[in-house]
Amino acid sequence: MAIFSKLRKQEPIMDLDELHVALKAYASGDYSIRLNAEVPGVAGEIARSYNQMCHITSTATQEMLVVLKDVAESGIIDARVTSTRLEGARGAVMRGLNNVLEELVAPLDEMVQVITALSHGDLTRNLSPVVNGRKKEGQFLIWTNMVNEMLAQLSNVAAEVSRVAKEVGSEGKLGGYAKVPNATGVWKELTDNVNMLAESVTDRVRAISEVATAVAGGDLSRTLDVEAQGEVLVLKKSINGMIQNLQTTTKTNAEQDWLKGNLARVARLLQGHHDLTQVANIVLSDLSPLLEVLHATFYHLDDSDLGESKLKLLASYAVADESRLSATWKVGQGLVGQCAAEKTRIFVESIPDDYINITSALGNSRPKSLVLLPILFEGKIKGVIELASFKIFEQVQDNFLNQVTEHIGIVINTIEATLRTEVLLAQSQSMTDELQSQQEELRATNQELEEKAPTLGGTKT
């Protein structure tokens, strides 16, 4: 008893309750609990051994979970555990897990290779009934047989389809049929569809030929109108899309030719003119029939007065009652003035009932659209053109108006500059004439004084 008491005093006894809790946690899969390893003696050794056991088990478990997640969820089929050098059962479990993964992945990898070859058109590959030197069994063997049967059937179908395609496409033997013995399900459906395609290809080829001949002859109104599915439907859409693109390109080229031709023509019409009213009348007389405009006005910004600038009416086109036209507008007043103030186009579709009508001998009616165009030069407003029509302007006409108003702005600015120069020259000439007149008067006065000088001298004597 004395010796036992002495041993108990020399070596602390482990807390069995703490050990019991830790072992229960370990048994339930909780490896996070650690014992106090600072205790000396056997108790400390037990604690360190337990802690090391928890650490090894936790690390191995976590690694296995990561590998299993990589393989199952992320598709990383070459993921493997690395803690295979562990001793005893743990090492065996790790190595066994890697072996299981190898056995599972090897058939899948082989299947991937065969399917990859199939996706590249290689129908010669098959799944081997042996993997890693062992014969496949169970579900793997069933999958192997199913895939190989599928490949054989597909190879047969491909051969027949190729034969029919060669006869119809290369040799011109229309009416050929694919023959696939014992074809069922999707293979029979595929064979029937190929035969149906072979039957209908003649009609489709003839339809395509007729449309292509019409297009080649310049008739872009024809389209391919045949019943089609799959690739033939894609071909049909492609041909019709090509025709539509040709229509669009032709229309675009025609519009560009129209745009450039009319811009050049207007430039020639305005060339050499020095009178603003004449220019305004030429513009309206030319643009109105060109754009199907049935009512038009031309306002010029007159800043010659010392007061505020005003937009003055220079010309109008086809206005039945000119008394309804305002001769002047202030900047910001009405749509004309607002167009000048904002320096931007104003487009109106909803024309009021009391708006001016377009009138002819056969009747009169409100316009459908109204456009006010600012005439600018280097950002400065030079005037406003107002156009009314029974139709909405097309995009090419809008582009034309944008560009032609720029040219009109250049012409107006040139005329204004010329007029200012002429005024300055006239003023300069007037001042020159007046100065010469004064010089002549001064010369005559001096001569008169010189003539009277002797007389004035003699009188003085």
Side-chain angles (χ1 to χ4, degrees), residues 284-306:
L284 296 188
S285 297
D286 186 75
L287 296 188
S288 296
L290 178 66
L291 303 176
E292 300 182 37
V293 170
L294 303 177
H295 172 84
T297 57
F298 192 117
Y299 285 88
H300 171 246
L301 183 68
D302 186 0
D303 55 1
S304 60
D305 297 336
L306 297 179

Side-chain angles (χ1 to χ4, degrees), residues 248 250-252 254-256 258-259 262 287 290-293 345 347 349 368-371 373 387 389-403:
T248 301
T250 302
K251 180 181 178 182
T252 300
E255 289 177 347
Q256 288 300 312
W258 180 91
L259 176 64
N262 283 296
L287 296 188
L290 178 66
L291 303 176
E292 300 182 37
V293 170
R345 172 187 300 202
F347 181 75
E349 287 189 14
K368 185 175 181 179
S369 64
L370 178 69
V371 178
L373 304 163
L387 306 174
S389 176
F390 284 142
K391 71 180 195 65
I392 305 298
F393 293 116
E394 299 177 0
Q395 183 62 49
V396 64
Q397 294 174 324
D398 286 339
N399 295 337
F400 170 75
L401 288 173
N402 287 335
Q403 297 183 44

Side-chain angles (χ1 to χ4, degrees), residues 323-345:
S323 63
R324 298 189 61 181
L325 297 178
S326 295
T328 60
W329 292 98
K330 295 180 181 180
V331 176
Q333 180 184 14
L335 290 179
V336 175
Q338 192 63 31
C339 179
E342 295 180 357
K343 300 179 182 179
T344 186
R345 172 187 300 202

